[in-house]
Amino acid sequence: GIQVEQSPPDLILQEGANSTLRCNFSDSVNNLQWFHQNPWGQLINLFYIPSGTKQNGRLSATTVATERYSLLYISSSQTTDSGVYFCAALNQAGTALIFGKGTTLSVSS
Amino acid sequence: AAGVIQSPRHLIKEKRETATLKCYPIPRHDTVYWYQQGPGQDPQFLISFYEKMQSDKGSIPDRFSAQQFSDYHSELNMSSLELGDSALYFCASTFGQGGYEQYFGPGTRLTVT
């Protein structure tokens, strides 16, 4: 089945810094999503981005489907950005999302 | 906008007891997925339904069963609970099968003592 790998596993930033999170996947995908899991455990949808580039405020994402990777950019980070960021790709059967291990982001003031 | 509703939000059970988790998808969504997230882990797919039929099964123990009802809500039934079943259980919904965006509920935190 499809493999999803995220890097780095951990990231520590000062408030105001920028960061790039990477997601590699082993096969072509019809669905690629980025989530932020907050300290209360809720999974927040950030982007649905099987290909191309999208922006939402300080966050943007790019997926290069032909090269099987996606990037999540966080600019001017804030303490509220802390948490775990997951990338997930739809399996070949189209019946389940396969998650990466996540990137744990800590932003300090 | 309406979101995915899960109930209960928190549940405490003892070993060997049973538990039922409920999921109400976004209106007009006909596909439901269940995921389990253990402490410090990534979410793992359990089972999915499309138009009230099971569409795929992941690493779901035989002690667990699930179904999707005529109004598209879904229930996950868990029997003979074990300490290792303590986890966050997410339900997600979407419209149709294939590559559409999945929307996640707030999760049910199950603690087995």
Side-chain angles (χ1 to χ4, degrees), chain A residues 33 37 45 48 90 95 97, chain B residues 33 35 37 56 98-99 101-102:
Chain A
Q33 293 185 234
Q37 187 162 42
N45 285 42
Y48 165 72
L90 196 68
T95 52
L97 280 178
Chain B
Y33 309 82
Y35 297 86
Q37 185 179 26
D56 198 5
E101 184 173 7
Q102 293 186 22

Side-chain angles (χ1 to χ4, degrees), chain A:
Chain A
I2 190 167
Q3 308 288 321
V4 180
E5 294 183 354
Q6 292 186 243
S7 61
D10 300 284
L11 194 54
I12 300 173
L13 299 175
Q14 286 285 335
E15 206 167 22
N18 303 327
S19 61
T20 301
L21 282 59
R22 186 177 179 102
C23 172
N24 292 330
F25 40 94
S26 59
D27 210 339
S28 58
V29 295
N30 292 322
N31 176 353
L32 192 290
Q33 293 185 234
W34 283 97
F35 298 90
H36 174 216
Q37 187 162 42
N38 63 25
W40 296 271
Q42 290 186 314
L43 276 174
I44 310 299
N45 285 42
L46 295 178
F47 294 102
Y48 165 72
I49 188 165
S51 64
T53 297
K54 290 185 178 179
Q55 180 154 9
N56 184 3
R58 296 182 295 103
L59 273 59
S60 63
T62 294
T63 297
V64 184
T66 53
E67 297 187 22
R68 300 178 185 171
Y69 73 88
S70 183
L71 302 174
L72 177 69
Y73 305 97
I74 304 174
S75 64
S76 304
S77 57
Q78 301 175 359
T79 55
T80 51
D81 294 331
S82 296
V84 184
Y85 289 80
F86 286 107
C87 160
L90 196 68
N91 64 1
Q92 289 299 303
T95 52
L97 280 178
I98 308 301
F99 284 75
K101 298 298 181 189
T103 293
T104 301
L105 174 64
S106 299
V107 182
S108 57
S109 56

Side-chain angles (χ1 to χ4, degrees), chain B residues 28-104:
Chain B
R28 291 182 296 281
H29 281 191
D30 54 9
T31 307
V32 166
Y33 309 82
W34 287 96
Y35 297 86
Q36 177 192 55
Q37 185 179 26
Q41 304 294 314
D42 54 291
Q44 296 288 315
F45 169 69
L46 290 178
I47 194 166
S48 59
F49 294 89
Y50 168 63
E51 278 293 342
K52 294 155 279 184
M53 300 285 289
Q54 180 182 307
S55 54
D56 198 5
K57 213 171 178 180
S59 47
I60 183 169
D62 291 341
R63 300 176 289 106
F64 293 8
S65 65
Q67 62 183 111
Q68 186 179 30
F69 294 86
S70 57
D71 63 351
Y72 296 105
H73 93 274
S74 178
E75 295 183 4
L76 177 65
N77 298 295
M78 311 158 70
S79 63
S80 303
L81 287 169
E82 303 174 356
L83 295 178
D85 296 328
S86 295
L88 197 49
Y89 290 84
F90 289 104
C91 170
S93 76
T94 191
F95 178 75
Q97 281 196 304
Y100 301 105
E101 184 173 7
Q102 293 186 22
Y103 296 86
F104 280 70

